[in-house]
Amino acid sequence: QVTLRESGPALVKPTQTLTLTCTFSGFSLSAPKMCVSWVRQSPGKALEWLALIDWLDDKDYKTSLKTRLSISKDTSKNQVVLTMTNMDPVDTATYYCARLDYLHGMDVWGLGTTVTVSS
Amino acid sequence: DIVMTQSPDSLAVSLGERATINCKSSQSVLFSSNNKNYLAWYQQKPGQPPRLLISLASTRASGVPDRFSGSGSETDFTLTISSLQAEDVAVYYCQQYYNSWTFGQGTKVEIK
């Protein structure tokens, strides 16, 4: 059974750096074609894709956020870490990680973690 | 970036009736080398994460009821719920993954 779980701070201050961890089980990120992605959703808004990392350690970022995002993986711990710098109140959202397949999309999602940016 | 535009933003359908959601991409998402459209549909119920319904424009994900179907090619796509059930009340999103990943703005489906 594939599961993913997001963890990180519930509250960050403006200008701080957010670090989120996705811990997964049921698959290996070293296996061919496996990827993990991050998606966020501001309250009452649409889904917004942020970043992904694949089994080859290739990475992709949302163009408009590229300078603020960094994604990495620890295959031995089955974890993917997303950092976002210079947080702003508009970054308040629920952040999801999902297993991703380049051919079939995001097939398994975590429950999400809510992050509020406020002083 | 490829922009995905869904229509309508919301719709209300009677139980047992058909619901149709449209999705238009700002450029083709058809990969010529394998003739596949890199377009997915997701369902999101309140308080829940999204759920993959359809990939490659028309391939249902595992466990998805056959009342959900996807169609279309290149820039124009449709998600159809053939006979709306109460449990289908949700927001539906299209997503392209031909060039990076972008979602549409979502379509809210309610019971009339």
Side-chain angles (χ1 to χ4, degrees):
Chain A
Q1 181 190 4
V2 173
T3 64
L4 302 98
R5 185 183 77 250
E6 305 87 351
S7 58
L11 179 67
V12 297
K13 290 180 167 43
T15 75
Q16 286 187 334
T17 294
L18 172 69
T19 299
L20 296 174
T21 300
C22 176
T23 303
F24 57 88
S25 63
F27 70 99
S28 171
L29 202 40
S30 59
K33 301 187 180 181
M34 287 295 110
C35 315
V36 169
S37 182
W38 285 93
V39 173
R40 72 178 178 181
Q41 187 171 38
S42 300
K45 302 295 186 183
L47 301 168
E48 179 183 23
W49 175 77
L50 298 176
L52 72 82
I53 189 165
D54 72 12
W55 76 104
L56 296 173
D57 207 36
D58 287 335
K59 302 159 189 175
D60 191 12
Y61 299 98
K62 181 180 173 73
T63 303
S64 60
L65 294 173
K66 195 168 187 173
T67 60
R68 299 176 53 206
L69 293 172
S70 178
I71 192 169
S72 62
K73 64 182 172 76
D74 185 331
T75 305
S76 65
K77 292 183 179 179
N78 281 351
Q79 290 182 333
V80 169
V81 174
L82 180 75
T83 61
M84 181 180 289
T85 61
N86 194 25
M87 293 292 285
D88 183 273
V90 301
D91 297 312
T92 293
T94 297
Y95 288 75
Y96 297 100
C97 64
R99 187 178 72 167
L100 179 152
D101 178 312
Y102 282 129
L103 199 57
H104 296 294
M106 301 173 189
D107 66 339
V108 186
W109 294 65
L111 294 179
T113 187
T114 299
V115 178
T116 300
V117 184
S118 175
S119 54
Chain B
D1 291 3
I2 298 178
V3 177
M4 308 301 290
T5 304
Q6 293 180 228
S7 61
D9 289 333
S10 65
L11 76 161
V13 176
S14 300
L15 288 173
E17 296 300 305
R18 179 184 300 258
T20 301
I21 301 169
N22 300 301
C23 175
K24 190 173 185 69
S25 58
S26 59
Q27 65 187 74
S28 174
V29 299
L30 175 63
F31 197 38
S32 56
S33 66
N34 60 8
N35 201 37
K36 294 186 186 297
N37 289 281
Y38 282 52
L39 188 286
W41 289 96
Y42 297 83
Q43 175 194 64
Q44 187 179 31
K45 297 180 180 180
Q48 296 185 17
R51 171 197 181 194
L52 177 66
L53 292 178
I54 286 170
S55 63
L56 297 175
S58 61
T59 302
R60 269 191 301 275
S62 175
V64 174
D66 60 7
R67 64 179 180 272
F68 291 92
S69 63
S71 63
S73 186
E74 296 194 52
T75 61
D76 292 280
F77 299 90
T78 300
L79 174 70
T80 301
I81 309 172
S82 60
S83 176
L84 191 75
Q85 304 300 303
E87 61 264 32
D88 300 335
V89 169
V91 179
Y92 293 84
Y93 294 93
C94 63
Q95 177 200 53
Q96 69 80 21
Y97 48 107
Y98 175 85
N99 182 350
S100 200
W101 303 73
T102 47
F103 290 93
Q105 82 275 18
T107 295
K108 186 175 185 179
V109 174
E110 299 172 307
I111 304 295
K112 185 186 290 183

